[in-house]
Amino acid sequence: MTWEIFIKWLPSFLDGAWLTLQLVGISVIAGLILALPLGIARSSRHFPVRALPYAYIFFFRGTPLLVQLFLVYYGLAQFELVRQSALWPYLRDPYWCAILTMTLHTAAYIAEIIRGAIQNVPPGEVEAARALGMSRSRTLWHIILPRATRIGLPAYSNEVILMLKASALASTITLLELTGMARKIAARTYLHEEMFLTAGLIYLVIAFILMQGFKLLERWLRVDACQGR
């Protein structure tokens, strides 16, 4: 691939990378918000409380993201009730369908990360908080969740990287994110290997930046915890 061709199509690759970052950024943040109550409920000792989150997590972890994407993008359009609802302008848009599906998918994994982190909080810290007279809710928000954040952050960072790679599936519903853009450019230039190699290198750069950012965050949380003591 000559440099002239690379320079010509670089803006298009950057547009695709920006769309990829939007999909991943919105889905992992919205997924974290959705996963928080799911993870807390999953860690409950009471079966009725954890039953519904378990069913949700079992479905989204047990089925491929591609199938879920097709069910949302193609499947919902089959229902007249959906087509007549106020949400139809969004549900017929591949952008919002991808974000919705990726959010629901990653929320299931993040919920399990939260559950595992909560259950790995040292019991002595919880007992100390209760001995000081803290209520269950205050213990949860001031002791358990901050500690669980430090425990679960490495696993959450892995989930973000996995969603970055999984975002390539959005190209199957006509979105021109990074992989979709590479496919479009390759079809025009017939330089398939070069264009997909370029896309792969951009994915690597994004993943490297994300990993470094999470390392800094982990270090900051560790220092903050030491200073708190």
Side-chain angles (χ1 to χ4, degrees), residues 20 38 64 79 116 134 165 171 173 182 189 207 229:
T20 294
L38 291 173
F79 299 98
M134 296 180 68
K165 295 185 288 185
S171 62
I173 57 172
T189 62
R229 293 178 184 177

Side-chain angles (χ1 to χ4, degrees), residues 150 153-154 157 213-223:
R150 298 185 182 96
L153 185 59
S157 65
F214 277 110
K215 283 183 180 179
L216 289 174
L217 181 58
E218 288 179 39
R219 192 176 306 156
W220 178 80
L221 287 175
R222 203 158 44 234
V223 171

Side-chain angles (χ1 to χ4, degrees), residues 148-183:
T149 299
R150 298 185 182 96
I151 295 172
L153 185 59
Y156 178 72
S157 65
N158 288 337
E159 175 61 19
V160 173
I161 300 301
L162 289 174
M163 288 308 298
L164 171 65
K165 295 185 288 185
S167 66
L169 295 174
S171 62
T172 61
I173 57 172
T174 73
L175 279 180
L176 292 179
E177 43 67 67
L178 189 52
T179 299
M181 188 63 73
R183 183 181 299 171

Side-chain angles (χ1 to χ4, degrees), residues 57-150:
I57 293 169
F58 178 78
F59 173 80
F60 280 98
R61 292 183 70 197
T63 55
L65 176 58
L66 183 61
V67 172
Q68 298 165 15
L69 196 60
F70 285 169
L71 284 174
V72 172
Y73 184 62
Y74 296 110
L76 292 180
Q78 308 300 316
F79 299 98
E80 184 68 23
L81 182 63
V82 174
R83 294 197 302 270
Q84 293 179 353
S85 69
L87 296 176
W88 178 237
Y90 300 97
L91 293 177
R92 69 182 179 184
D93 187 333
Y95 176 81
W96 292 109
C97 285
I99 287 179
L100 174 63
T101 308
M102 291 172 63
T103 297
L104 295 175
H105 180 85
T106 193
Y109 285 88
I110 298 173
E112 280 296 280
I113 292 172
I114 293 173
R115 178 193 64 80
I118 289 175
Q119 292 180 345
N120 279 282
V121 172
E125 297 184 12
V126 179
E127 293 171 2
R130 300 305 302 275
L132 291 172
M134 296 180 68
S135 64
R136 289 183 180 273
S137 60
R138 289 192 64 190
T139 301
L140 175 66
W141 289 105
H142 295 285
I143 303 298
I144 297 177
L145 289 182
R147 189 76 164 89
T149 299
R150 298 185 182 96

